[in-house]
């Protein structure tokens, strides 16, 4: 997985990211928590370390899944 450095502090994330809005907002019913966690873990196991989320999707529903 290619990486990108964000800012000047050396924070490195995957070049590919996962948009998390659809897990809790915007596309019908929220994804069931267990299924959402499975998806996030699978993405991480495949090298995804950049997860795009916002507190407006819930609020904080996506952040709780990523925690």
């Amino acid at each position: 997985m290619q990486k990108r450095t964000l800012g000047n502090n050396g924070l490195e994330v995957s070049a590919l990211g996962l948009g998390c809005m659809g897990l809790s907002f915007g596309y019908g019913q929220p994804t069931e928590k267990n299924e959402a966690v499975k998806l996030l873990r699978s993405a991480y196991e495949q090298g995804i370390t950049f997860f795009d989320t916002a507190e407006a999707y819930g609020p904080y529903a996506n952040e709780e899944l990523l925690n």
Side-chain angles (χ1 to χ4, degrees), residues 7-65:
N8 297 321
N9 293 325
L11 177 63
E12 192 174 77
V13 297
S14 58
L16 295 175
L18 177 66
C20 297
M21 182 178 83
L23 296 176
S24 61
F25 177 85
Y27 301 113
Q29 295 294 326
T31 305
E32 189 174 318
K33 184 177 180 177
N34 291 339
E35 291 301 312
V37 170
K38 277 200 264 187
L39 172 75
L40 294 167
R41 284 183 178 162
S42 177
Y44 182 79
E45 289 168 1
Q46 294 178 60
I48 302 293
T49 58
F50 179 56
F51 296 91
D52 181 23
T53 186
E55 66 183 53
Y57 312 149
Y60 308 113
N62 285 160
E63 290 82 359
E64 289 175 11
L65 291 171

